[in-house]
Amino acid sequence: MITSFLMKSLDRNILVVVAILVGLAILVPALNLLTAPDHPLHVPTYLVSLFGKYLTYALLALALDLVWGFCGILSLGHAAFFALGGYAMGMYLMRQIGARGSYGNPLLPDFMVFLNWKELPWFWYGFDMFWFAALMVVLVPGVLAFVFGWFAFRSRVNGVYLSIITQAMTYALLLAFFRNDMGFGGNNGLTDFKDILGFNIQANGTRATLFAISALMLALCLILTSAIVRSKYGKVLVAVRDAESRTRFLGYRVEHIKLFAFTVSAMMAGIAGALYVPQVGIINPGEFEPGNSIEVVIWTAVGGRGTLIGPIVGAVLVNGGKSIFTAAFPEFWLFALGGLFVLVTLFLPKGVVGTTGAYFAGRRAKSRARSQETSDRLAAEPMAAE
């Protein structure tokens, strides 16, 4: 039943992107591990980690597209779900350090020893086990999204008001995690990771594996998201986006429809954060910055919201451009990002993928129209001759 549900989502475009992601999951690690450093096709380890980070950003943008592109919920708080998933993974990685920390404490992380903590806080229990941390990666963002959405959607908070509330939630978490007494490392966050599942996190093989897992997880979430939006529920989801009052008048519980999409989207964002942390080597309260959530909106808009593939393309393009632009003109990057958003809004309202798809759809429609005219004319000629 689940297999049938997922298979229905595999249209041609989704299949192509999934095939590309699976190919990258195989090709990039192979070029990194199996080729010599001086080989022209060799992919350096730092690029493997950089590309892996882009894939986690793409997964975050895909999560936002589910609620913004198909449900009309402009969330400015997805950075919070991303960061919570990252912190859950960071707590597991900190517990794996053990006595190898600077202070040699087998139980307490270094920052707790420095702050004179005497015992491990209760909410750190269980994070020495990977399965527990993996569960928290999706459970913590999911529960927060469910509770937040339950009150917001039942109160019929919509539009800009909902966006402001999600941003306020993110900022509140930012302030909370900055506090040293919260037990999450304060301003410095969590870093100095050693191992993941017993493997050296700095090893080339581990980096390549993390990249492959990121690519495959993005492909899996793309299939899942496509299955959701192409199902009967997805049709109702779009109806809520386009005419919420009419959908409610037809008897649908709109708050439940929104709540499911919002919760699933938060879980996907948490997974993205969990994959991000071991590849960049740190997680701190800066990930909660409201500006990060706004950037995700820009990635989605540039690629094309409501297209599934567009946010992936937008995240990779914008962050790739950011890496290049900040190296050459670091002080002008924010101006360039703002200008890009304005240009896309004015001239590419459907985003790169949406505009490209509309262009080729128009060409196909004109081609079919010309073919129909030709066939009608040829059919009419024998009748005229008679």
Side-chain angles (χ1 to χ4, degrees):
M1 181 177 178
I2 296 178
T3 303
S4 175
F5 173 72
L6 293 176
M7 291 301 294
K8 291 179 181 179
S9 70
L10 296 178
D11 64 10
R12 185 179 63 180
N13 293 333
I14 298 296
L15 274 174
V16 169
V17 176
V18 168
I20 291 174
L21 290 171
V22 173
L24 289 175
I26 298 172
L27 182 62
V28 172
L31 293 178
N32 173 250
L33 299 175
L34 303 180
T35 58
D38 58 348
H39 193 280
L41 296 179
H42 178 72
V43 178
T45 301
Y46 80 91
L47 283 182
V48 173
S49 296
L50 182 64
F51 295 157
K53 183 177 73 170
Y54 292 166
L55 292 178
T56 63
Y57 286 157
L59 179 53
L60 176 58
L62 177 63
L64 177 65
D65 192 42
L66 176 61
V67 292
W68 185 33
F70 294 92
C71 193
I73 301 172
L74 177 54
S75 170
L76 296 181
H78 263 55
F81 306 131
F82 179 83
L84 287 172
Y87 264 97
M89 178 57 66
M91 291 166 73
Y92 163 77
L93 295 174
M94 290 297 290
R95 292 297 307 273
Q96 297 305 298
I97 295 175
R100 291 174 293 173
S102 300
Y103 295 98
N105 192 302
L107 186 62
L108 298 180
D110 284 344
F111 72 88
M112 291 187 184
V113 178
F114 178 78
L115 295 173
N116 294 319
W117 289 60
K118 302 304 180 184
E119 59 182 13
L120 194 69
W122 64 267
F123 48 84
W124 277 75
Y125 293 153
F127 280 96
D128 55 332
M129 298 175 287
F130 180 81
W131 68 267
F132 182 83
L135 180 63
M136 292 299 106
V137 162
V138 294
L139 189 60
V140 173
V143 169
L144 176 62
F146 183 86
V147 173
F148 177 88
W150 175 267
F151 289 104
F153 301 143
R154 282 173 62 88
S155 303
R156 300 190 182 182
V157 180
N158 291 309
V160 66
Y161 302 104
L162 182 62
S163 300
I164 292 172
I165 292 174
T166 56
Q167 191 170 56
M169 173 191 68
T170 304
Y171 192 67
L173 288 170
L174 167 68
L175 296 178
F177 275 73
F178 260 118
R179 295 165 56 102
N180 286 328
D181 57 1
M182 281 289 290
F184 295 105
N187 183 44
N188 295 322
L190 309 177
T191 188
D192 195 29
F193 308 133
K194 308 293 185 184
D195 299 330
I196 180 170
L197 289 173
F199 297 96
N200 184 355
I201 204 168
Q202 300 296 334
N204 291 349
T206 306
R207 296 285 185 177
T209 302
L210 288 170
F211 171 88
I213 293 174
S214 299
L216 295 176
M217 184 57 68
L218 177 58
L220 180 61
C221 288
L222 177 60
I223 294 172
L224 175 62
T225 309
S226 179
I228 290 174
V229 301
R230 290 168 64 88
S231 66
K232 293 180 180 179
Y233 165 80
K235 307 302 181 185
V236 180
L237 195 66
V238 174
V240 171
R241 179 195 67 188
D242 295 339
E244 180 175 334
S245 298
R246 292 185 180 183
T247 307
R248 181 177 285 109
F249 180 75
L250 291 173
Y252 289 100
R253 297 294 298 271
V254 170
E255 61 271 18
H256 293 172
I257 294 167
K258 288 183 172 181
L259 187 60
F260 176 79
F262 195 64
T263 303
V264 171
S265 177
M267 290 178 170
M268 290 171 55
I271 294 172
L275 291 170
Y276 168 85
V277 168
Q279 296 186 85
V280 300
I282 189 173
I283 178 71
N284 59 39
E287 297 299 337
F288 286 101
E289 284 282 355
N292 293 342
S293 294
I294 296 174
E295 280 198 41
V296 183
V297 172
I298 295 176
W299 305 340
T300 306
V302 169
R305 74 183 184 104
T307 61
L308 293 184
I309 299 173
I312 297 175
V313 174
V316 174
L317 286 179
V318 174
N319 283 286
K322 180 179 181 179
S323 297
I324 297 172
F325 202 89
T326 51
F329 310 101
E331 64 275 16
F332 297 113
W333 163 244
L334 291 179
F335 296 101
L337 185 64
L340 176 64
F341 186 62
V342 171
L343 291 174
V344 168
T345 302
L346 292 177
F347 301 107
L348 295 175
K350 296 181 179 180
V352 174
V353 172
T355 303
T356 303
Y359 171 75
F360 284 107
R363 290 193 59 179
R364 287 194 297 269
K366 290 180 180 179
S367 177
R368 285 195 297 267
R370 286 195 296 267
S371 299
Q372 186 64 37
E373 289 177 2
T374 302
S375 61
D376 291 344
R377 186 173 64 252
L378 293 176
E381 287 178 355
M383 296 177 62
E386 293 177 1

